[in-house]
Amino acid sequence: MPIRTRAAALAALTAAALAVGAAATTQAGAAPGGTAQKNASAQKNASAQKKAAAPRFLAASELPPHPTGWTAGPVTDGFPDQLAYCLGEGVPAYDYRHRLFHTELDTSAVQVTVVTGSAAKGKALADRLNKEIRTCAARLERLYPEIEAEGRFFGTLPVEEGATVHGLHTETSYGATDVNLLSVGRDGRTVTVVGWGQMGDFDDAPLAAFKKTAKKAVTKLY
Protein backbone atom coordinates (compact mmCIF):
# COMPACT_ATOMS: atom_id res chain seq x y z
CA MET A 1 0.00 0.00 0.00
CA PRO A 2 1.48 3.38 -0.95
CA ILE A 3 2.20 5.55 2.05
CA ARG A 4 3.50 9.09 1.67
CA THR A 5 6.68 9.68 3.58
CA ARG A 6 8.70 12.72 4.52
CA ALA A 7 12.21 12.23 5.81
CA ALA A 8 13.02 14.44 8.76
CA ALA A 9 15.55 17.15 7.93
CA LEU A 10 19.01 16.60 9.39
CA ALA A 11 20.94 19.52 10.79
CA ALA A 12 24.51 19.75 9.52
CA LEU A 13 27.15 18.78 12.09
CA THR A 14 29.77 21.46 12.62
CA ALA A 15 33.19 20.67 14.11
CA ALA A 16 34.81 23.37 16.25
CA ALA A 17 38.42 24.24 15.39
CA LEU A 18 40.82 24.92 18.25
CA ALA A 19 43.32 27.72 17.45
CA VAL A 20 46.45 28.19 19.50
CA GLY A 21 48.08 31.63 19.18
CA ALA A 22 51.72 31.26 18.20
CA ALA A 23 52.50 34.65 19.70
CA ALA A 24 51.01 33.85 23.10
CA THR A 25 53.45 34.26 25.94
CA THR A 26 54.33 31.25 28.08
CA GLN A 27 53.81 31.60 31.82
CA ALA A 28 56.98 31.70 33.89
CA GLY A 29 58.11 28.21 34.88
CA ALA A 30 55.66 26.49 32.47
CA ALA A 31 57.09 23.45 30.75
CA PRO A 32 57.37 23.57 26.91
CA GLY A 33 54.38 21.93 25.25
CA GLY A 34 52.15 22.47 28.29
CA THR A 35 49.50 24.35 26.29
CA ALA A 36 49.33 21.61 23.66
CA GLN A 37 48.97 18.95 26.35
CA LYS A 38 46.12 20.89 27.98
CA ASN A 39 44.40 21.29 24.62
CA ALA A 40 44.73 17.59 23.86
CA SER A 41 43.37 16.72 27.29
CA ALA A 42 40.39 19.08 26.81
CA GLN A 43 39.60 17.55 23.42
CA LYS A 44 39.79 14.05 24.88
CA ASN A 45 37.44 14.99 27.74
CA ALA A 46 34.96 16.64 25.35
CA SER A 47 34.97 13.55 23.14
CA ALA A 48 34.39 11.28 26.13
CA GLN A 49 31.51 13.47 27.36
CA LYS A 50 29.89 13.47 23.92
CA LYS A 51 30.17 9.69 23.69
CA ALA A 52 28.79 9.24 27.20
CA ALA A 53 25.86 11.53 26.40
CA ALA A 54 24.77 9.61 23.28
CA PRO A 55 21.54 7.70 24.01
CA ARG A 56 21.78 3.92 23.86
CA PHE A 57 19.48 1.72 21.80
CA LEU A 58 17.67 -1.52 22.51
CA ALA A 59 19.40 -4.81 21.78
CA ALA A 60 17.67 -7.61 19.87
CA SER A 61 17.32 -9.64 23.07
CA GLU A 62 15.28 -6.82 24.68
CA LEU A 63 12.40 -7.03 22.20
CA PRO A 64 9.28 -9.15 22.78
CA PRO A 65 10.28 -12.83 22.34
CA HIS A 66 9.84 -14.34 18.88
CA PRO A 67 10.18 -18.01 17.83
CA THR A 68 12.85 -17.26 15.21
CA GLY A 69 14.69 -14.66 17.30
CA TRP A 70 15.51 -11.08 16.36
CA THR A 71 18.29 -9.56 14.28
CA ALA A 72 19.31 -5.96 15.01
CA GLY A 73 20.57 -3.61 12.33
CA PRO A 74 23.09 -0.80 12.87
CA VAL A 75 22.16 2.53 14.43
CA THR A 76 21.55 4.88 11.50
CA ASP A 77 20.97 8.62 11.12
CA GLY A 78 17.55 9.87 10.02
CA PHE A 79 13.89 9.22 10.69
CA PRO A 80 12.85 5.67 9.69
CA ASP A 81 10.39 5.09 6.85
CA GLN A 82 8.95 2.25 8.94
CA LEU A 83 7.15 4.78 11.16
CA ALA A 84 6.05 7.06 8.33
CA TYR A 85 2.57 5.53 8.13
CA CYS A 86 1.70 7.36 11.36
CA LEU A 87 4.46 9.92 11.92
CA GLY A 88 6.10 10.68 8.59
CA GLU A 89 4.10 13.84 7.95
CA GLY A 90 4.03 15.03 11.56
CA VAL A 91 7.53 14.89 13.02
CA PRO A 92 9.41 18.18 13.49
CA ALA A 93 12.88 18.49 11.97
CA TYR A 94 15.38 17.09 14.48
CA ASP A 95 18.51 14.95 14.22
CA TYR A 96 16.87 11.53 14.56
CA ARG A 97 18.72 8.22 14.82
CA HIS A 98 17.11 4.82 14.47
CA ARG A 99 17.69 1.07 14.54
CA LEU A 100 15.71 -1.56 12.63
CA PHE A 101 15.02 -5.11 13.84
CA HIS A 102 13.67 -8.08 11.92
CA THR A 103 12.79 -11.74 12.32
CA GLU A 104 12.81 -14.56 9.79
CA LEU A 105 9.03 -14.24 9.45
CA ASP A 106 6.76 -11.20 9.08
CA THR A 107 7.47 -9.52 12.43
CA SER A 108 9.58 -6.36 12.52
CA ALA A 109 10.44 -3.56 14.94
CA VAL A 110 12.10 -0.15 14.97
CA GLN A 111 13.41 2.31 17.55
CA VAL A 112 13.99 6.00 16.86
CA THR A 113 15.64 8.37 19.33
CA VAL A 114 16.25 12.12 19.34
CA VAL A 115 17.95 14.53 21.75
CA THR A 116 16.17 17.89 21.74
CA GLY A 117 17.51 21.19 23.04
CA SER A 118 15.83 21.11 26.46
CA ALA A 119 13.47 19.14 28.67
CA ALA A 120 10.65 21.48 27.64
CA LYS A 121 11.31 20.79 23.95
CA GLY A 122 11.51 17.08 24.71
CA LYS A 123 8.09 17.21 26.38
CA ALA A 124 6.63 19.15 23.46
CA LEU A 125 7.97 16.60 20.98
CA ALA A 126 6.67 13.64 23.00
CA ASP A 127 3.24 15.29 23.22
CA ARG A 128 3.28 15.90 19.46
CA LEU A 129 4.20 12.29 18.68
CA ASN A 130 1.52 10.93 21.02
CA LYS A 131 -1.07 13.13 19.31
CA GLU A 132 0.01 11.94 15.86
CA ILE A 133 -0.30 8.30 16.95
CA ARG A 134 -3.72 8.85 18.57
CA THR A 135 -5.08 10.33 15.35
CA CYS A 136 -3.32 7.88 13.04
CA ALA A 137 -6.26 5.52 12.46
CA ALA A 138 -8.60 8.34 11.41
CA ARG A 139 -6.00 9.82 9.07
CA LEU A 140 -5.31 6.45 7.41
CA GLU A 141 -9.01 5.89 6.76
CA ARG A 142 -9.38 9.40 5.35
CA LEU A 143 -6.37 9.07 3.03
CA TYR A 144 -6.93 5.45 1.98
CA PRO A 145 -10.61 4.47 1.56
CA GLU A 146 -9.60 0.81 1.10
CA ILE A 147 -8.33 0.67 4.70
CA GLU A 148 -10.24 0.22 7.93
CA ALA A 149 -8.14 1.21 10.95
CA GLU A 150 -8.62 1.05 14.71
CA GLY A 151 -6.40 2.72 17.28
CA ARG A 152 -6.22 1.81 20.94
CA PHE A 153 -4.54 3.43 23.93
CA PHE A 154 -2.90 0.97 26.32
CA GLY A 155 -1.93 3.36 29.11
CA THR A 156 1.20 4.90 30.55
CA LEU A 157 4.37 3.44 32.07
CA PRO A 158 6.06 4.80 35.22
CA VAL A 159 9.57 5.33 33.87
CA GLU A 160 11.66 8.53 33.98
CA GLU A 161 9.41 11.31 32.56
CA GLY A 162 6.92 8.70 31.43
CA ALA A 163 6.03 6.53 28.45
CA THR A 164 2.77 5.82 26.65
CA VAL A 165 1.72 2.68 24.75
CA HIS A 166 -0.60 2.63 21.73
CA GLY A 167 -1.94 0.01 19.33
CA LEU A 168 -3.08 0.19 15.72
CA HIS A 169 -4.91 -2.43 13.67
CA THR A 170 -5.48 -2.08 9.93
CA GLU A 171 -7.45 -4.20 7.48
CA THR A 172 -7.57 -3.65 3.74
CA SER A 173 -10.49 -4.26 1.41
CA TYR A 174 -8.62 -7.26 0.00
CA GLY A 175 -8.31 -8.89 3.43
CA ALA A 176 -4.75 -8.08 4.61
CA THR A 177 -4.57 -7.35 8.34
CA ASP A 178 -1.73 -5.89 10.38
CA VAL A 179 -1.30 -5.00 14.02
CA ASN A 180 1.22 -2.50 15.38
CA LEU A 181 2.26 -1.49 18.89
CA LEU A 182 3.95 1.87 19.47
CA SER A 183 5.40 3.59 22.50
CA VAL A 184 6.64 7.13 23.12
CA GLY A 185 8.99 7.62 26.08
CA ARG A 186 11.02 10.52 27.45
CA ASP A 187 14.04 10.98 29.69
CA GLY A 188 14.59 14.72 30.12
CA ARG A 189 15.26 16.23 26.71
CA THR A 190 15.59 12.83 25.00
CA VAL A 191 12.61 11.15 23.33
CA THR A 192 12.42 7.60 21.99
CA VAL A 193 9.74 5.81 19.98
CA VAL A 194 9.52 2.03 19.65
CA GLY A 195 7.38 0.37 17.00
CA TRP A 196 6.52 -3.34 16.63
CA GLY A 197 4.38 -4.87 13.91
CA GLN A 198 3.25 -8.08 12.23
CA MET A 199 0.33 -9.60 10.36
CA GLY A 200 -2.69 -10.24 12.58
CA ASP A 201 -4.94 -8.39 14.99
CA PHE A 202 -4.82 -7.17 18.60
CA ASP A 203 -5.14 -10.72 19.96
CA ASP A 204 -1.83 -11.56 18.27
CA ALA A 205 0.07 -8.66 19.81
CA PRO A 206 2.40 -9.37 22.79
CA LEU A 207 1.22 -6.36 24.79
CA ALA A 208 2.74 -7.28 28.17
CA ALA A 209 6.13 -8.07 26.62
CA PHE A 210 6.03 -4.89 24.52
CA LYS A 211 5.40 -2.79 27.62
CA LYS A 212 8.57 -4.25 29.14
CA THR A 213 10.44 -3.37 25.95
CA ALA A 214 9.03 0.17 25.95
CA LYS A 215 10.09 0.68 29.55
CA LYS A 216 13.54 -0.74 28.86
CA ALA A 217 13.95 1.61 25.88
CA VAL A 218 13.65 4.60 28.23
CA THR A 219 15.71 3.30 31.15
CA LYS A 220 18.50 2.26 28.77
CA LEU A 221 18.89 5.68 27.15
CA TYR A 222 21.39 6.82 29.81
Side-chain angles (χ1 to χ4, degrees):
M1 134 182 109
I3 299 290
R4 294 182 298 137
T5 62
R6 176 181 64 81
L10 295 176
L13 298 177
T14 304
L18 179 63
V20 179
T25 56
T26 303
Q27 292 182 358
T35 301
Q37 290 175 353
K38 289 180 180 179
N39 290 335
S41 178
Q43 288 178 321
K44 183 177 180 181
N45 290 338
S47 177
Q49 290 174 357
K50 181 178 180 180
K51 184 177 181 180
R56 295 180 296 163
F57 281 73
L58 291 167
S61 60
E62 293 165 331
L63 293 173
H66 190 275
T68 70
W70 289 92
T71 298
V75 175
T76 306
D77 290 339
F79 191 86
D81 290 342
Q82 286 74 9
L83 291 177
Y85 65 94
C86 266
L87 301 176
E89 296 292 336
V91 292
Y94 278 110
D95 289 338
Y96 297 93
R97 303 176 75 217
H98 69 274
R99 169 176 259 179
L100 303 180
F101 305 85
H102 70 271
T103 67
E104 294 180 10
L105 298 177
D106 65 322
T107 309
S108 62
V110 59
Q111 181 184 9
V112 59
T113 297
V114 58
V115 181
T116 67
S118 66
K121 290 182 178 180
K123 182 180 184 303
L125 177 59
D127 291 344
R128 171 74 174 272
L129 296 175
N130 276 306
K131 180 180 178 180
E132 294 291 327
I133 294 173
R134 287 195 305 269
T135 59
C136 182
R139 283 184 283 112
L140 287 177
E141 289 189 336
R142 185 174 65 253
L143 291 171
Y144 307 100
E146 73 277 14
I147 292 177
E148 291 185 3
E150 178 189 358
R152 294 185 183 180
F153 178 63
F154 291 118
T156 60
L157 302 175
V159 54
E160 298 300 339
E161 275 67 59
T164 55
V165 179
H166 308 262
L168 176 71
H169 176 255
T170 59
E171 182 173 0
T172 66
S173 57
Y174 50 87
T177 63
D178 291 279
V179 61
N180 291 270
L181 298 175
L182 301 108
S183 69
V184 179
R186 184 170 70 91
D187 183 355
R189 63 178 183 152
T190 302
V191 178
T192 188
V193 178
V194 180
W196 172 99
Q198 70 174 29
M199 294 175 62
D201 55 30
F202 285 119
D203 291 337
D204 302 309
L207 181 58
F210 181 79
K211 286 184 175 182
K212 292 180 180 179
T213 295
K215 188 172 182 178
K216 182 66 175 180
V218 179
T219 60
K220 191 177 181 179
L221 287 171
Y222 298 105

